[in-house]
Amino acid sequence: MHQRFHILAGPDCNNNCVFCMEDDRADRKHRHALITAERVLQLLKDHVAGGEVMFTSGEPTLNRNLPTYMRWARQLGYERIGLTTNARRLGYEPYARQLLEEGLNHIVVSIHGPDARSHDAQTRSPGSFVQTVAGLETLARLKGEHRFALHSSTVVGQRNYRLVPPIYELLAGVGVDQYVFNVMQPLGRGALLVGKLVARYTEVAAAFGAFVATLGEPRPKLFLVDLPLCTTEALPDEVRGYVEFAYFTEYEDDGQPRPRASKVHKEAENRAKRAECAGCVYDSGCLGVWRTYLEAYGWDEFVPVRARRAAASRRPRPA
């Protein structure tokens, strides 16, 4: 399990994803308004020892201070300066180049379909696919001038779990270095529409396994994450990715900082286990199943694993 320091730099978003976990936009805008530039600088100073920062939440490229934040991180000595983005603004090459020159060297692009019809249906933002692909193509061109890691992040649900192969082909064509397929978390809007949005885990794992079987060697760096490991026993260990746990700071209305960790304040609060889980070899590292998923589909898919696979201890994780 990987932990990374996040700075919440996106009070706004130009997508309107049907599965968004941050479904209360007014509340997000209010909370993020408290994260001023001065506080961002202090947060960067406080966490520089970790060597890595990710600017995330909403769409950070809509924050006019983002280039400045990148520069501060570089000047403070951060080795890895990351951005989670839908890449729509990165289609403007001068802006993308500016971020890279200021220090950005790790970009995670969110894309949820191989074409405008499937992607825009999920973002509920007509034209978003065209702009995201333009951003990816711009980044592909800039790889000749700058050194950075280009990763993808695809939220997988009922609408697109069968579309993983063409999504991969699209991303491979623009030089993506690592492909992460995140099974939809039934929180926020997703919690309200579990039966319509969230695919059964066993069906996702089976479709992903069939896709992986078509890939040659060496296998590209791709991962399916956020499924309990008991549902992915048929997959190669190399693609059974870890969930990233983020830690970040929010602020109270009185200005007091409130340290948060997704493992505690999102995962632990919203997942469940049953007595049988104690006999599973993955129990110690498993957080359980989303409660909202269980309300829709029950426990039938989750069978405790009694014997550990020989290669399980060598299972890699998304970078």
Side-chain angles (χ1 to χ4, degrees), residues 9-291:
D12 300 303
C13 189
N14 48 359
N15 282 349
N16 188 26
C17 295
V18 66
F19 50 77
C20 184
M21 293 183 292
E22 295 182 318
D23 58 324
D24 189 338
R25 291 192 168 208
D27 177 65
R28 181 179 67 203
K29 194 172 184 70
H30 171 71
R31 287 183 288 110
H32 285 229
L34 302 173
I35 306 175
T36 62
E38 292 77 15
R39 286 173 174 161
V40 168
L41 179 57
Q42 188 59 54
L43 289 172
L44 287 169
K45 291 178 178 178
D46 291 344
H47 294 276
V48 69
E52 180 177 6
V53 62
M54 177 69 73
F55 294 96
T56 186
S57 188
E59 177 47 48
T61 62
L62 299 182
N63 187 329
R64 61 184 178 84
N65 292 318
L66 186 61
T68 300
Y69 297 166
M70 299 282 180
R71 181 169 68 254
W72 287 343
R74 173 174 52 81
Q75 292 172 340
L76 287 167
Y78 278 85
E79 295 178 4
R80 199 176 203 192
I81 302 170
L83 170 67
T84 299
T85 177
N86 59 37
R88 292 177 64 178
R89 282 203 70 195
L90 300 184
Y92 299 95
E93 189 166 316
Y95 178 72
R97 182 179 283 107
Q98 179 187 17
L99 294 181
L100 293 167
E101 290 173 349
E102 294 292 7
L104 177 63
N105 58 19
H106 177 206
I107 306 169
V108 179
V109 175
S110 301
I111 185 165
H112 311 297
D115 50 45
R117 182 173 180 271
S118 57
H119 177 85
D120 292 2
Q122 303 226 68
T123 64
R124 299 191 299 186
S125 302
S128 60
F129 176 79
V130 171
Q131 291 185 336
T132 292
V133 171
L136 285 165
E137 290 172 344
T138 296
L139 293 172
R141 290 195 301 271
L142 292 175
K143 271 196 166 186
E145 304 175 25
H146 300 273
R147 294 184 62 184
F148 59 92
L150 179 57
H151 297 174
S152 64
S153 175
T154 300
V155 174
V156 177
Q158 284 192 26
R159 297 182 177 186
N160 66 351
Y161 79 90
R162 296 182 181 89
L163 299 177
V164 167
I167 293 172
Y168 166 77
E169 292 296 333
L170 168 68
L171 296 171
V174 290
V176 168
D177 305 307
Q178 175 177 284
Y179 316 81
V180 176
F181 295 90
N182 304 277
V183 175
M184 189 179 296
Q185 298 182 351
L187 300 173
R189 292 174 183 162
L192 302 176
L193 298 168
V194 175
K196 294 183 178 180
L197 295 179
V198 181
R200 283 184 174 272
Y201 294 162
T202 48
E203 294 177 1
V204 173
F208 197 82
F211 161 62
V212 169
T214 68
L215 299 175
E217 296 290 346
R219 185 181 293 125
K221 291 184 66 176
L222 79 165
F223 302 90
L224 182 66
V225 305
D226 211 1
L227 285 87
L229 291 175
C230 62
T231 65
T232 63
E233 280 288 277
L235 294 179
D237 281 315
E238 292 78 10
V239 305
R240 304 163 85 200
Y242 287 78
V243 177
E244 177 195 274
F245 293 121
Y247 62 104
F248 53 94
T249 299
E250 295 183 328
Y251 288 86
E252 305 287 357
D253 287 342
D254 62 4
Q256 292 300 309
R258 180 174 62 167
R260 309 286 281 175
S262 62
K263 184 176 182 179
V264 176
H265 301 105
K266 180 180 72 172
E267 307 286 344
E269 291 180 358
N270 294 293
R271 292 184 184 262
K273 288 186 175 183
R274 57 178 176 172
E276 290 90 332
C277 294
C280 180
V281 296
Y282 298 118
D283 179 49
S284 62
C286 178
L287 293 170
V289 187
W290 297 105
R291 297 179 189 277

